[in-house]
Amino acid sequence: MPRRASRLVQPEDLLRLVTVADPRFSADGHSVVFVRKGYDAKGARTSELWLASTRGAQRQRPLTTGPRDSTPRSSPVDDSLLFVRSATKEAPQLALLKLPPVRGKARPQVRTLTRLPEGSLASVAWSPDGRHVAFKWRQTMTEFTAAAAKRRKALGHSTPALVVDDPWYRLDGDGVFGTARFRLFVLDLGRKGAAPREVFRCDHLDDFSFD
């Protein structure tokens, strides 16, 4: 049989690569949510949440449209799912949805739970009773926010110098954060309109538990 002509990998092929990350089982174990990562037509990174069945049939479907949805966390008591939503040019927020059937086509309704200023949101966790959720959040230094950069550009000003007096001012994969520090917050989902309550500063806390 004639051999097919081989094709070398081209730089644009890298933008077609798709990876999956952070799989999380539903409370009943019948489905799993994962993050699907890829690139858009302009080469920008994208991430959406997808749902797949664990009952043998190879069924999967998109849950969210991105462009930067991440950190899915399944409720320990029902079909609720928490995740971090980072819309284009907006601060990341904590969001909630109800897991639909894997065979369905309709996208679930998403409810935004927080209204946080510009910053970084990480390490989301449910309480065992499913009523509370804890998360880490670090507010961006005022002079380095997107709004401050926009004002400087309009005025023709340069970016201010970052004064460093602490070795803990940047991390690989996290970037430069200066004097900003993560703080632990708890949100009561049983109280409509409740605001996140700050618990304590957690500079070097990578994970935590309600136990």
Side-chain angles (χ1 to χ4, degrees):
M1 296 180 62
R3 297 178 59 184
R4 292 185 178 181
S6 59
R7 177 182 176 278
L8 298 178
V9 175
Q10 302 299 314
E12 56 269 20
D13 293 335
L14 298 178
L15 298 180
R16 300 190 182 99
L17 295 178
V18 173
T19 60
V20 298
D22 207 2
R24 300 284 169 165
F25 285 101
S26 59
D28 59 12
H30 294 164
S31 61
V32 60
V33 177
F34 60 91
V35 182
R36 182 184 186 275
K37 298 182 177 182
Y39 299 86
D40 63 16
K42 296 182 179 180
R45 290 180 177 271
T46 62
S47 60
E48 308 97 29
L49 302 186
W50 280 58
L51 178 68
S53 172
T54 60
R55 295 184 174 185
Q58 295 182 353
R59 299 189 182 94
Q60 60 186 27
R61 54 165 296 187
L63 278 180
T64 66
T65 58
R68 288 186 295 275
D69 296 331
S70 64
T71 323
R73 296 293 182 267
S74 300
S75 167
V77 297
D78 58 22
D79 58 356
S80 298
L81 180 80
L82 285 166
F83 67 98
V84 176
R85 164 152 286 183
S86 299
T88 303
K89 296 182 180 181
E90 294 182 9
Q93 305 294 338
L94 195 62
L96 179 73
L97 60 78
K98 292 288 187 178
L99 290 178
V102 178
R103 291 187 176 184
K105 294 182 179 180
R107 296 288 177 91
Q109 185 175 2
V110 176
R111 180 162 63 99
T112 302
L113 301 177
T114 57
R115 294 181 180 179
L116 301 169
E118 185 175 341
S120 299
L121 199 162
S123 301
V124 180
W126 288 89
S127 63
D129 61 4
R131 171 164 178 158
H132 297 84
V133 58
F135 61 91
K136 294 196 318 181
W137 179 70
R138 182 183 64 210
Q139 186 169 5
T140 302
M141 296 175 64
T142 304
E143 58 270 37
F144 294 104
T145 61
K150 185 176 180 180
R151 286 194 299 269
R152 286 195 299 271
K153 184 177 181 180
L155 296 172
H157 295 174
S158 60
T159 303
L162 175 64
V163 178
V164 177
D165 56 7
D166 188 323
W168 190 263
Y169 75 98
R170 63 165 295 168
L171 285 174
D172 290 344
D174 196 11
V176 177
F177 44 81
T179 59
R181 295 292 182 265
F182 273 111
R183 299 178 184 276
L184 185 68
F185 289 82
V186 173
L187 179 62
D188 186 349
L189 299 180
R191 293 177 54 199
K192 186 176 181 179
R197 176 174 57 87
E198 183 178 337
V199 180
F200 56 80
R201 174 174 161 172
C202 49
D203 295 359
H204 310 289
L205 181 66
D206 292 327
D207 206 353
F208 52 85
S209 172
F210 277 92
D211 298 337

